[in-house]
Each structure stands twice: as structure tokens, then as C-alpha cells.
Amino acid sequence: MFYYLNGTVAHTEPNLIVIDVGGAGYACHTSLQTISRSKLGEVIKLYTYVHVREDLFDIYGFADTQELNCFKMLISISGVGPKAALSILSVTTPERLSLAVISGDDKILTAAQGIGKKLAQRVVLELKDKMAKGLTETPYEGISSVLVPDSKLAEAHSALIVLGYSPSEAAIATRGLGEDLSLEEIIKEALKRMM
């Protein structure tokens, strides 16, 4: 429906930004990460997701497409609704979430309000499954020469898939990045390339 909203920040409160676009104020539910990157009176672009039900029309807004993709991936998991996904994204960045999934660390998720141990474990497990399916479903020519199993590049490739990128996009973005970089640096550099 809306791909993004571009306007002036008119009001903020916990997990909500009101953005003035041409005189209309759009209330966008958002993460604390996005709120921390916005200031009253400044122009901001929020990438959006619209959640519609019979009795509900909510707009969710994010400062970048990585956070939006991560939000969509989280709400695709059984038991994780938009509020839980925002709660997770309020305590971690998409990059750190990807690293947590790769390493099987659910502690970062339990730091989010309303996320218990069982749900955190389900999120990690299901996102790992999505990463594994993404690696096998769409083969990319030359991927074997780029990715060595259990290497930092392979883990970065998996992390990008968690963020919603296709295996071929992830392979292209990580191509040529050196193993001398840390995993987090490889992911950040790959995300820069895709932007």
C-alpha cells in the first residue's frame, strides 16, 4: 500500500512516530532504534508496512529497509505479532539479530519486553530454518567459490538471508569481502553495497 512516508516528525512517544506528510499526520508504530534516529521538526523517510484487519489499520515505519525486512521476517513466525516484532527490534539491530540467529543465542531476544524463553527459541529456530532453505532453494552460480562452509562469509550470507535478501543478492553483496574482517563488519559492508 504505502512503500514509504517522507515528512516532518511532528510527535514521538514510545514506539510511535507521527509524521506530517503534506498536512496529514500519519501515526507510525516503530522501534526504539528508529525513534532514536529521529528528531522533532526534522524531515524523515520511514519505510512502511501496513497491517490491516477487520477492526484495525496500523502503519509500521522503519528508518531503513533492513529493519523493515527484519520486521516482516519476524511477523512471519508463528506467535510473533507486530508488537512482539517491534519489541525485538527495539532492543537489537537487524545485524545483531542475524548474528544471534547464526550463533543460536536467544538471550538477546529475551531482553525484549514480552518475549519469553520459549518464543525466543522458536524465533531463532525458525529463522535458522529459513536461512537453510534460502541457501538450498535458489542456487547461485559461483556461490561455492565465494562461500566456504563454516566461514565468516557463509555466516554473513546467511545473515543477509535472515534480513530478507535473496541468496543471489547476498552472494553478490558478500563477493570479494575479506575474511580478515569481523563477521559484523562483513555484514555492514554487504548492506552498504546493497544500498
Side-chain angles (χ1 to χ4, degrees):
M1 190 170 281
F2 302 119
Y3 185 73
Y4 67 80
L5 292 171
N6 195 34
T8 307
V9 177
H11 176 75
T12 62
E13 47 187 75
N15 292 342
L16 185 81
I17 291 179
V18 177
I19 185 169
D20 184 322
V21 181
Y26 292 88
C28 297
H29 302 278
T30 191
S31 69
L32 296 177
Q33 303 288 337
T34 292
I35 289 175
S36 70
R37 294 164 63 178
S38 63
K39 293 183 181 167
L40 283 175
E42 287 190 356
V43 174
I44 189 172
K45 178 188 275 189
L46 295 179
Y47 294 92
T48 58
Y49 174 85
V50 178
H51 184 70
V52 181
R53 287 192 332 223
E54 288 177 17
D55 58 341
L56 177 67
F57 184 95
D58 283 335
I59 301 172
Y60 293 84
F62 304 94
D64 55 48
T65 54
Q66 288 83 22
E67 194 175 26
L68 173 62
N69 289 337
C70 201
F71 175 80
K72 288 178 182 177
M73 187 76 74
L74 285 166
I75 63 173
S76 73
I77 296 169
S78 174
V80 179
K83 287 182 181 177
L86 278 187
S87 183
I88 291 169
L89 291 172
S90 289
V91 298
T92 188
T93 63
E95 295 88 358
R96 287 191 194 127
L97 178 61
S98 297
L99 292 172
V101 169
I102 290 167
S103 64
D105 179 15
D106 58 29
K107 288 180 186 141
I108 196 164
L109 300 175
T110 57
Q113 183 178 3
I115 307 297
K117 181 99 172 140
K118 285 184 180 178
L119 183 56
Q121 289 172 337
R122 183 181 323 137
V123 168
V124 168
L125 182 65
E126 288 196 29
L127 289 181
K128 268 191 180 181
D129 286 347
K130 287 177 190 273
M131 286 176 8
K133 284 180 187 172
L135 285 170
T136 57
E137 282 177 4
T138 314
Y140 171 72
E141 58 190 70
I143 198 168
S144 58
S145 64
V146 176
L147 301 175
V148 176
D150 298 325
S151 71
K152 284 189 265 182
L153 286 177
E155 290 182 13
H157 183 269
S158 295
L160 293 171
I161 291 170
V162 167
L163 294 175
Y165 294 99
S166 72
S168 60
E169 289 172 323
I172 291 167
T174 55
R175 183 183 299 149
L177 293 176
E179 281 285 332
D180 54 325
L181 298 173
S182 72
L183 181 57
E184 194 165 350
E185 289 170 333
I186 292 171
I187 293 169
K188 284 183 181 178
E189 188 58 39
L191 288 171
K192 283 181 196 172
R193 287 180 175 186
M194 286 196 266
M195 294 182 88

